[in-house]
Amino acid sequence: MQEMFRSRSWFGGGWGRPKNPHSLEHLKYLYNVLSRNQTVSEHNRGLLVETLRSIAEILIWGDQNDSSVFDFFLEKNMLSFFLRIMRQRSGGSNYVCVQLLQTLNILFENIRNETSLYYLLSNNHVNSIIVHKFDFSDEEVMAYYISFLKTLSLKLNAHTIHFFYNEHTNDFPLYTEAIKFFNHPESMVRIAVRTLTLNVYKVEDSSMLAFIRDRTAAPYFSNIVWFIGKHIQELDNCVRNDADHQSQNRLSDLVAEHLDHLHYLNDILCLNITDLNHVLTDHLLHKLLIPLYICSLATSRRKSSIPEGVNQAVAKILSKSSSGSSDSPRLQDPTAGKVSCVVALFLLSQVFLILSHSPLVHTLAWIILKTDRSIFEKGASKLLEHFENEKKDLEDSLCDRTSSKESTSSKENLLDEPKNITDEEKEKLAKVPPSDNLGSERPFLETVYTALDCSENDYAVLFALSLLYAMANNRGVSSDIIEQVLKPKKSISSKSSTKEVKYSYNTFLVDKLLAIILLACQPSCRIRLVTLELTLKILLQLVICDGKNILSDAHQHSLETAKSQSMALLRNFYKSEEIFLDMFEHEYCDMSKGPLNVEWLCMDSAILLPPTGTPMTGIDFVKRLPCGESEKARRAIRLFFLMRNSLLTLSGEVENQLPLTNPQSCVQIDHALDLSIARYNSDLIACTVLYKDGTKMRRFLVIDIMQLILVEPDSKRLGWGVAKLVGFLQDIEVTGDKDDSRCLHITIHRPISGATTNRVPLLSAKFLFDDNIRCMAAKQRLTKGRIKARQKKMQHIARLLEIPGQSGPPSPAFTGQGLYGSRITGRSLRENRPLFGPSRVPGFAAPKRESSPGVIHKADEFRRHRDSDSPTRISKKDSTNPCQSTLSTKKESRSRDGSSSRTRSREGSPRMPRPRSEEIPMELMKKVPNSEITPKINILPRPQTPRVEPEPTAANFTPPKLENGLVPVISEETSFIGEQKSEKDIEGLDNV
Amino acid sequence: MSYAYLFKYIIIGDTGVGKSCLLLQFTDKRFQPVHDLTIGVEFGARMITIDSKQIKLQIWDTAGQEAFRSITRSYYRGAAGALLVYDITRRETFNHLTTWLDDARQHSNSNMVIMLIGNKSDLESRREVKKEEGEAFAREHGLVFMETSAKTAANVEEAFINTAKEIYEKIQEGVFDINNEANGIKIGPQHSPTNPSLPGAGGSGGSQGSACC
């Protein structure tokens, strides 16, 4: 098809065609062609297309290179040829029209010279082209036409607007022709129309905008509103008729389309054109949001008392709308003007998540939160009226209000709970249903509250929560109406001589939320994780004010009960099987990807269908119920994380126990390690790594506490090595070689991480050792290292879950294995026992001394006890220069639950290394002078032999930089002083 | 002009990377590359043949509409394929790829085929982004990669056609719901599964087909 043009065979020399296609002569030639072919026919249409195409090319060339080209084009009024061509209705005229439109597109898209552009637009030919009735049934013509209009709209500005909008004739064809296609079946056409309208609105020209408002806004906006209404009824139908998740695609399109509409409306509103926004807001409220969205809320639950009211209300609204604007299509069936409650809640959530135009969202929020039944029953149209009146009153009262809270309390008495009342009173208050408390019911708010009831399932709960969250976090909703309902209220009372700050919150809602949370922590409940997460999110917003937890004791207690239940639930799944640890870490990783994004949640149409348990639907795990034991375990893990996280947030604490592996504490590739220190030295095994691709590398194998490290001796510093490969011991697989007793096959799997889904092993290679004894030793250490690394983590989890025998203060009773063993019972006995084996393996004792003590509490206690009993170990340990051992102690950067560290860790950055606090009670620590050691405590390793490095006294505070530029972490012992860097601490020590 | 399928494409990437030039170069290669002429267009359509089926490509440039979230969103959703373009002579256009990709992934349907294009490969002397970097980025994010030049037309054909081939394969695999036009795929008006070779490839088709400049 393209060939015939490429050959250009039909432009024989006979036409006198100039050789240079980019020249004025060529345009003159093309002009001649057009003049001679003013009638389109079967025979010349190919020629015409090629001519029109060449004109585009030469004009753009002229625009960029030779102004005489454009002058010629204008002088000969060549655009009029275009018009003449398109007005002919002959065979194949669409074909020519398409090229003509594309030539115009190219022209307007590429013209840089402003004068040329003005000339092109000046003779009104463009407007004639715009109003020309092309054959829009041809999708090709349609696409090129709408692209042409869109291209023109991108050229609009305060100057060019006058070429398109004629003030005198009150004519704006570019806009009025385009909006005719706003509901075109082809999505790209609709998008182009929306783009064009937005490009028009943003031009700052008051008379043009007045034209838009007066002549087109009402019909255009009411059409949009009408189509959205029709569209959401389709959506509602889809939800009602699809309980089996059969038409997920269709539903997802309908939801996406609704979002498109809302985003479009928001884009218009965000242009801040007052007049336009007023008309649009009015249409949206009166014809869509109130009659359809909000009124649908009141219908679902309380059918007995509502129907007449709603029907009247809707009827009234509809009659108003149909009489109000003559141009708009009408909602055909007034009684059909309702959608199900879940859909209404879902759609309203989207409205509040996307739109932020204050006059609109504020009114809506007010109606939902404040309307009472008496007003509502008068009819939906009264809702707005009432709002306007109330607003006036409120504004008046706001003016009166200075410091006295009482003046407004009559209006905002919703569940006002001063913090200083007794718990009995609180409970009493909490039990009172809102309607009694208020004297008048709030039908819409009540529906939202009722939807929070999850006795059956959490289908509607999620939408009610989304709506509450969306309202509370919409910046267009002013705080005075959400305060006390969705946000904590702070009031300063000056009754006594001292000013007293009183906090209060919506206890009724908190009760509801706590009920959800408590239920979610029950085994085999029907609350999805996403519902719980959102509940907790809202709860935290409700009860944290000025960074303080204002939760009442009773409520706090409920929340803690829920947390204990979540722990109890997870304890049931706590198993020694490897999969549990992997799951635990995987879930943590997954959860750490970010907090719940409610806007994204409400973009997912899958939640519109009743909650399901089957993964076959493709619905995210958190958005459905667990299926099978393994998913139940996953759910329990997540539940625990969510509860733990919320309680930490509530108490203003920072998580310092999770993740189980702190990346900051690990040796990284290219780190330099001091191999002379006991931690690395004792485990150094020389080997040759044989990769599958045949490469060989001589390395030293270091088996650290959690990691396997392959080092290469550092050429610059004697006794140091550089980490060339690092893997976690927990992820290794070791097998012997049948044929060679000096060989091991080692595979290191990648750690679970949120960032990558790469499952290719980190390393899979053959390790050749000097002899079979070393090989055996390596195998043993690796295997045991793996077990130990996993056990450490499992014990850490056990402590988090408060599994008996895993926690508790260090006790002098732990004097021996026997006693220790007798204290632990049940499952933990079985799991803890192997810990004692490996610690006797030669070479393990020393690194263990420096292990992450927080990870294994008991083991540390045991070890400490043993260490203090064995002076030889101490001396070996003490030969370590603290400055050099800096890297090794990265592991210790996260302290666990030592009494001293807990308070400290809160104030410190989580990245900062923390002391091994649990080893030494605070009191003892303070007695330790800077450079002296109490042998029994055994914390400050002190070089006993002269070292090349400076003595670790003051230098402890500023550790030397490693060669690779890495600032090493201060060694664990010195970090007691150095790490905190707090003047106080140092002073405190000096004072001792 | 009838076709078996219509695929809608969008072209995304920073301004000035040559999106509209690529589009024009592909849809109307009669525009001969001239060194002192930059010329582009925002929309174009062209017929191609894959597996002896006529497939129409409609390509929509999204330039100039970034200010409006609703527009960007809708464009992504309505497309079956996307060409993500950067300029090999401007490092920052390469650095912004992640943002573009995140946006695309967030708004588009999950089946959308994305092809990474390093444009202006004719300007070798001013190259700032190595070909290997583009390849690595594509590999990491599961994209098809190609370096093109809208000026010399190098690889332009291939870029669009390979994307179409991938969409076509996905249709064959049943990944795309072709009855759902929101995916950016439309079945031709005269599409009949028994007779995929459509009429009109000859005389009348020839003159019509090339109209999609």
Side-chain angles (χ1 to χ4, degrees):
Chain A
M1 294 175 285
Q2 303 275 334
E3 287 78 30
M4 55 177 67
F5 293 117
R6 230 179 287 154
S7 65
R8 295 173 188 251
S9 57
W10 42 15
F11 289 102
W15 294 81
R17 187 161 170 259
K19 273 174 191 163
N20 182 2
H22 296 134
S23 63
L24 180 60
E25 280 61 46
H26 189 55
L27 184 62
K28 286 178 177 166
Y29 157 79
L30 295 170
Y31 169 72
N32 276 327
V33 175
L34 280 186
S35 324
R36 285 186 223 171
N37 293 276
Q38 302 203 16
T39 313
V40 183
S41 71
E42 280 288 326
H43 306 291
N44 68 1
R45 57 181 200 177
L47 175 65
L48 279 170
V49 164
E50 185 54 25
T51 306
L52 289 169
R53 193 203 63 75
S54 301
I55 288 173
E57 189 171 338
I58 190 161
L59 282 177
I60 300 309
W61 176 83
D63 178 59
Q64 292 170 17
N65 298 285
D66 180 358
S67 59
S68 67
V69 168
F70 228 88
D71 293 342
F72 181 83
F73 181 78
L74 296 167
E75 187 187 310
K76 296 288 176 188
N77 201 8
M78 284 175 78
L79 271 181
S80 64
F81 282 106
F82 289 22
L83 267 166
R84 220 168 298 151
I85 291 168
M86 72 176 66
R87 281 174 181 156
Q88 295 174 35
R89 289 249 170 226
S90 65
S93 66
N94 281 357
Y95 165 57
V96 183
C97 281
V98 160
Q99 179 59 62
L100 204 141
L101 287 165
Q102 184 70 328
T103 292
L104 290 166
N105 275 341
I106 293 170
L107 217 51
F108 285 102
E109 166 85 17
N110 294 280
I111 276 191
R112 293 179 197 167
N113 193 323
E114 250 178 58
T115 330
S116 307
L117 179 67
Y118 293 167
Y119 276 125
L120 262 185
L121 294 171
S122 60
N123 51 19
N124 217 32
H125 284 326
V126 171
N127 281 327
S128 306
I129 296 169
I130 291 170
V131 296
H132 177 72
K133 298 291 167 215
F134 290 93
D135 176 10
F136 295 122
S137 65
D138 183 327
E139 76 178 356
E140 189 107 342
V141 175
M142 184 72 235
Y144 279 101
Y145 172 75
I146 208 72
S147 298
F148 170 55
L149 299 194
K150 194 188 76 182
T151 302
L152 290 175
S153 79
L154 287 163
K155 294 280 162 189
L156 288 179
N157 58 41
H159 304 292
T160 54
I161 189 77
H162 301 293
F163 295 113
F164 296 98
Y165 165 62
N166 188 328
E167 240 176 290
H168 309 292
T169 57
N170 230 353
D171 205 18
F172 191 5
L174 177 63
Y175 180 77
T176 50
E177 290 303 313
I179 57 175
K180 289 176 185 168
F181 296 103
F182 91 99
N183 200 41
H184 195 271
E186 174 58 55
S187 69
M188 288 296 185
V189 174
R190 293 198 300 272
I191 299 167
V193 173
R194 287 183 211 158
T195 315
L196 181 143
T197 57
L198 289 165
N199 285 336
V200 167
Y201 300 152
K202 77 175 177 195
V203 178
E204 286 173 22
D205 184 275
S206 53
S207 61
M208 180 273 289
L209 288 172
F211 167 83
I212 300 274
R213 183 200 57 210
D214 300 337
R215 301 290 298 276
T216 67
Y220 180 54
F221 291 155
S222 63
N223 266 288
I224 294 176
V225 161
W226 187 79
F227 277 107
I228 298 175
K230 199 172 149 239
H231 184 262
I232 69 158
Q233 270 166 358
E234 231 174 286
L235 195 154
D236 186 54
N237 272 334
C238 195
V239 174
R240 278 177 208 268
N241 302 325
D242 185 23
D244 324 320
H245 297 238
Q246 287 305 304
S247 50
Q248 270 192 67
N249 281 337
R250 170 98 187 106
L251 191 58
S252 115
D253 282 341
L254 288 166
V255 168
E257 195 76 15
H258 184 252
L259 288 167
D260 275 0
H261 289 139
L262 290 180
H263 278 292
Y264 175 54
L265 295 172
N266 189 50
D267 278 342
I268 299 176
L269 292 168
C270 286
L271 290 171
N272 267 324
I273 304 154
T274 318
D275 288 346
L276 223 51
N277 282 5
H278 187 77
V279 181
L280 183 54
T281 304
D282 210 47
H283 271 87
L284 282 169
L285 284 175
H286 282 99
K287 295 184 192 163
L288 184 72
L289 299 173
I290 294 170
L292 207 51
Y293 291 46
I294 290 191
C295 285
S296 298
L297 281 187
T299 59
S300 68
R301 298 266 170 167
R302 309 194 39 147
K303 286 195 175 87
S304 52
S305 63
I306 303 263
E308 330 82 60
V310 166
N311 283 342
Q312 281 166 15
V314 172
K316 197 156 185 181
I317 277 291
L318 290 169
S319 65
K320 189 183 173 226
S321 75
S322 52
S323 61
S325 78
S326 50
D327 297 317
S328 68
R330 280 129 226 201
L331 286 170
Q332 288 127 348
D333 185 5
T335 50
K338 272 173 275 169
V339 294
S340 65
C341 180
V342 276
V343 170
L345 287 169
F346 178 72
L347 297 176
L348 277 168
S349 307
Q350 291 188 337
V351 169
F352 279 103
L353 287 166
I354 294 166
L355 301 182
S356 56
H357 182 57
S358 192
L360 192 147
V361 287
H362 188 80
T363 310
L364 268 191
W366 192 93
I367 290 171
I368 294 171
L369 298 175
K370 304 274 175 172
T371 306
D372 63 37
R373 188 167 300 283
S374 59
I375 305 296
F376 172 62
E377 274 161 3
K378 285 184 201 150
S381 59
K382 294 282 179 212
L383 294 174
L384 267 173
E385 244 172 71
H386 182 65
F387 165 71
E388 296 301 331
N389 295 336
E390 283 287 317
K391 200 167 74 176
K392 226 179 275 163
D393 291 355
L394 202 72
E395 272 158 12
D396 296 343
S397 69
L398 277 171
C399 296
D400 299 339
R401 180 166 67 173
T402 45
S403 64
S404 92
K405 173 179 165 268
E406 277 71 32
S407 66
T408 50
S409 65
S410 59
K411 237 174 241 106
E412 304 191 17
N413 62 348
L414 186 78
L415 306 162
D416 199 350
E417 191 230 21
K419 186 83 168 114
N420 55 355
I421 57 167
T422 65
D423 277 2
E424 287 91 329
E425 279 173 312
K426 273 182 212 159
E427 268 166 49
K428 206 175 137 199
L429 248 174
K431 272 176 196 145
V432 179
S435 50
D436 296 356
N437 192 25
L438 296 166
S440 58
E441 288 178 81
R442 304 200 160 159
F444 304 126
L445 185 59
E446 202 191 312
T447 306
V448 179
Y449 282 160
T450 316
L452 290 175
D453 172 27
C454 45
S455 49
E456 213 173 298
N457 60 32
D458 69 345
Y459 183 30
V461 181
L462 187 56
F463 304 119
L465 292 169
S466 306
L467 179 57
L468 290 172
Y469 177 87
M471 279 197 285
N473 294 282
N474 190 303
R475 59 194 160 87
V477 180
S478 68
S479 57
D480 58 310
I481 62 162
I482 50 167
E483 189 178 69
Q484 191 63 36
V485 185
L486 297 168
K487 285 271 159 80
K489 189 181 175 105
K490 183 181 172 185
S491 45
I492 298 161
S493 78
S494 45
K495 281 173 196 163
S496 54
S497 56
T498 51
K499 275 195 178 172
E500 203 179 315
V501 182
K502 282 203 289 184
Y503 297 104
S504 56
Y505 59 88
N506 185 344
T507 49
F508 182 76
L509 180 56
V510 168
D511 277 338
K512 285 266 182 193
L513 298 179
L514 282 169
I516 299 169
I517 295 165
L518 279 162
L519 194 62
C521 295
Q522 297 296 321
S524 64
C525 70
R526 299 186 62 79
I527 309 281
R528 289 166 289 177
L529 283 167
V530 69
T531 309
L532 176 69
E533 188 168 359
L534 187 51
T535 309
L536 289 166
K537 206 177 170 96
I538 295 171
L539 180 75
L540 294 181
Q541 287 194 350
L542 268 169
V543 302
I544 294 180
C545 193
D546 295 340
K548 271 181 256 172
N549 170 10
I550 57 166
L551 209 56
S552 73
D553 294 344
H555 282 155
Q556 179 77 30
H557 180 72
S558 302
L559 199 59
E560 271 157 18
T561 310
K563 193 209 167 191
S564 310
Q565 279 170 351
S566 78
M567 279 161 59
L569 195 64
L570 185 54
R571 279 200 286 266
N572 291 332
F573 292 99
Y574 180 90
K575 291 187 185 90
S576 54
E577 276 133 63
E578 298 211 324
I579 189 83
F580 182 81
L581 177 59
D582 293 335
M583 247 190 207
F584 190 88
E585 297 202 290
H586 179 79
E587 292 304 321
Y588 188 83
C589 206
D590 217 36
M591 213 187 65
S592 313
K593 281 177 193 163
L596 176 68
N597 183 326
V598 184
E599 194 181 334
W600 289 5
L601 171 72
C602 287
M603 282 162 64
D604 188 353
S605 60
I607 58 170
L608 264 176
L609 300 172
T612 175
T614 164
M616 300 301 284
T617 49
I619 297 171
D620 283 355
F621 175 62
V622 293
K623 293 177 195 161
R624 58 177 171 80
L625 296 163
C627 173
E629 272 309 292
S630 133
E631 285 200 347
K632 279 186 184 158
R634 281 178 68 192
R635 184 188 183 278
I637 294 168
R638 285 287 186 105
L639 179 71
F640 167 71
F641 288 148
L642 288 172
M643 292 306 299
R644 177 182 168 82
N645 202 15
S646 301
L647 275 146
L648 283 174
T649 311
L650 210 51
S651 58
E653 285 176 76
V654 175
E655 177 66 84
N656 59 6
Q657 307 275 301
L658 291 169
L660 298 177
T661 312
N662 182 352
Q664 258 93 45
S665 71
C666 295
V667 174
Q668 309 283 331
I669 286 177
D670 288 340
H671 275 188
L673 310 175
D674 180 0
L675 300 175
S676 65
I677 60 168
R679 174 173 172 174
Y680 302 120
N681 181 30
S682 56
D683 267 2
L684 218 53
I685 305 171
C687 60
T688 305
V689 185
L690 305 152
Y691 288 92
K692 296 224 162 92
D693 62 5
T695 45
K696 278 185 192 181
M697 270 166 214
R698 187 71 182 162
R699 291 281 184 265
F700 287 94
L701 176 65
V702 175
I703 297 160
D704 198 10
I705 298 90
M706 303 302 278
Q707 290 173 297
L708 169 159
I709 310 158
L710 289 180
V711 298
E712 188 179 51
D714 191 335
S715 53
K716 294 169 203 144
R717 226 185 321 183
L718 195 66
W720 284 64
V722 179
K724 286 291 165 191
L725 188 128
V726 193
F728 286 102
L729 284 169
Q730 70 179 80
D731 301 321
I732 57 167
E733 260 176 59
V734 187
T735 46
D737 191 293
K738 276 176 204 159
D739 306 319
D740 192 342
S741 61
R742 296 171 304 155
C743 276
L744 289 179
H745 295 277
I746 299 179
T747 307
I748 310 173
H749 296 286
R750 277 177 204 278
I752 301 146
S753 85
T756 59
T757 48
N758 190 349
R759 297 319 300 157
V760 180
L762 195 66
L763 170 93
S764 184
K766 194 158 133 180
F767 283 61
L768 177 67
F769 296 91
D770 294 348
D771 53 49
N772 72 324
I773 295 170
R774 283 187 175 80
C775 179
M776 284 285 287
K779 187 182 178 188
Q780 202 173 29
R781 284 177 197 174
L782 286 168
T783 313
K784 282 177 178 159
R786 180 181 196 277
I787 294 168
K788 270 173 56 71
R790 284 180 168 266
Q791 277 171 344
K792 274 176 197 291
K793 286 193 166 179
M794 283 304 283
Q795 292 214 334
H796 186 185
I797 297 172
R799 279 196 312 109
L800 288 172
L801 298 182
E802 293 168 14
I803 290 174
Q806 299 295 330
S807 59
S811 156
F814 296 153
T815 47
Q817 197 177 346
L819 189 55
Y820 186 18
S822 70
R823 275 174 59 96
I824 48 177
T825 50
R827 199 201 303 271
S828 49
L829 172 70
R830 190 179 68 230
E831 281 155 7
N832 287 326
R833 192 164 282 157
L835 255 178
F836 294 90
S839 62
R840 294 201 177 130
V841 173
F844 260 93
K848 220 176 158 238
R849 173 62 191 85
E850 306 221 358
S851 73
S852 302
V855 179
I856 299 185
H857 220 54
K858 288 270 151 109
D860 283 344
E861 285 154 20
F862 169 67
R863 187 200 59 229
R864 185 180 336 119
H865 168 77
R866 192 194 52 208
D867 282 355
S868 58
D869 278 352
S870 93
T872 49
R873 273 194 197 289
I874 296 170
S875 63
K876 184 182 176 188
K877 179 84 188 72
D878 283 353
S879 69
T880 307
N881 184 321
C883 287
Q884 287 188 331
S885 67
T886 50
L887 269 171
S888 68
T889 57
K890 279 199 142 190
K891 283 247 178 259
E892 281 74 42
S893 66
R894 285 173 310 145
S895 71
R896 297 309 176 191
D897 63 355
S899 56
S900 60
S901 73
R902 181 164 285 177
T903 44
R904 284 161 165 247
S905 59
R906 265 180 232 165
E907 57 204 51
S909 140
R911 293 194 171 204
M912 276 167 68
R914 293 198 187 86
R916 308 173 51 185
S917 48
E918 67 271 44
E919 292 228 350
I920 319 101
M922 197 63 141
E923 322 77 69
L924 288 177
M925 190 188 85
K926 285 198 172 167
K927 285 177 195 149
V928 181
N930 240 0
S931 56
E932 277 181 31
I933 268 186
T934 314
K936 272 185 186 168
I937 296 165
N938 178 28
I939 39 153
L940 286 176
R942 191 182 47 175
Q944 295 186 332
T945 48
R947 307 286 299 206
V948 186
E949 272 79 18
E951 279 287 314
T953 49
N956 287 350
F957 301 108
T958 49
K961 275 204 166 187
L962 292 187
E963 277 172 26
N964 57 4
L966 183 96
V967 181
V969 181
I970 304 154
S971 77
E972 60 193 335
E973 290 81 10
T974 55
S975 69
F976 266 127
I977 308 150
E979 171 265 338
Q980 295 294 333
K981 287 194 183 84
S982 128
E983 298 285 326
K984 245 187 221 165
D985 284 0
I986 297 163
E987 277 168 26
L989 282 163
D990 290 340
N991 292 343
V992 171
Chain B
M1 174 74 194
S2 53
Y3 48 81
Y5 296 110
L6 183 147
F7 297 164
K8 285 178 232 173
Y9 281 19
I10 52 170
I11 302 197
I12 52 176
D14 284 5
T15 28
V17 296
K19 298 187 293 278
S20 59
C21 299
L22 274 175
L23 203 164
L24 186 64
Q25 180 57 241
F26 174 71
T27 56
D28 195 341
K29 48 189 168 187
R30 292 167 295 160
F31 281 91
Q32 285 185 327
V34 181
H35 74 282
D36 58 352
L37 183 66
T38 349
I39 179 165
V41 74
E42 288 198 355
F43 172 78
R46 193 184 129 181
M47 201 74 85
I48 58 164
T49 308
I50 293 176
D51 197 16
S52 71
K53 285 191 177 67
Q54 294 287 314
I55 290 174
K56 187 172 190 169
L57 302 184
Q58 245 189 24
I59 304 126
W60 302 77
D61 183 1
T62 60
Q65 290 131 28
E66 293 86 355
F68 302 115
R69 194 175 166 191
S70 62
I71 305 303
T72 320
R73 225 193 94 82
S74 314
Y75 267 123
Y76 281 117
R77 233 165 38 75
L83 267 69
L84 171 53
V85 189
Y86 69 92
D87 177 349
I88 63 152
T89 68
R90 277 160 61 214
R91 163 72 53 183
E92 74 270 16
T93 66
F94 181 76
N95 295 342
H96 294 159
L97 289 179
T98 327
T99 322
W100 284 107
L101 201 60
D102 287 348
D103 241 35
R105 291 262 154 88
Q106 196 198 328
H107 296 302
S108 68
N109 71 71
S110 52
N111 295 319
M112 183 165 88
V113 174
I114 304 173
M115 171 160 279
L116 181 66
I117 304 285
N119 195 31
K120 307 197 184 173
S121 62
D122 50 305
L123 301 174
E124 193 56 51
S125 59
R126 281 163 51 198
R127 180 189 280 275
E128 282 182 14
V129 184
K130 278 188 232 138
K131 191 176 181 187
E132 291 73 34
E133 293 175 84
E135 278 166 355
F137 185 92
R139 212 175 318 117
E140 195 184 328
H141 295 92
L143 316 173
V144 191
F145 173 69
M146 212 163 248
E147 281 197 351
T148 61
S149 164
K151 209 130 240 186
T152 67
N155 271 341
V156 174
E157 244 349 67
E158 291 78 0
F160 286 88
I161 290 173
N162 288 356
T163 309
K165 277 184 186 156
E166 218 177 297
I167 297 169
Y168 184 78
E169 274 163 31
K170 283 197 172 187
I171 294 175
Q172 302 304 102
E173 289 163 15
V175 180
F176 269 115
D177 177 10
I178 50 167
N179 293 309
N180 184 351
E181 283 186 22
N183 282 339
I185 296 172
K186 207 167 150 182
I187 306 174
Q190 291 159 35
H191 179 65
S192 100
T194 48
N195 180 22
S197 59
L198 291 148
S204 64
S207 53
Q208 266 189 333
S210 52
C212 44
C213 330

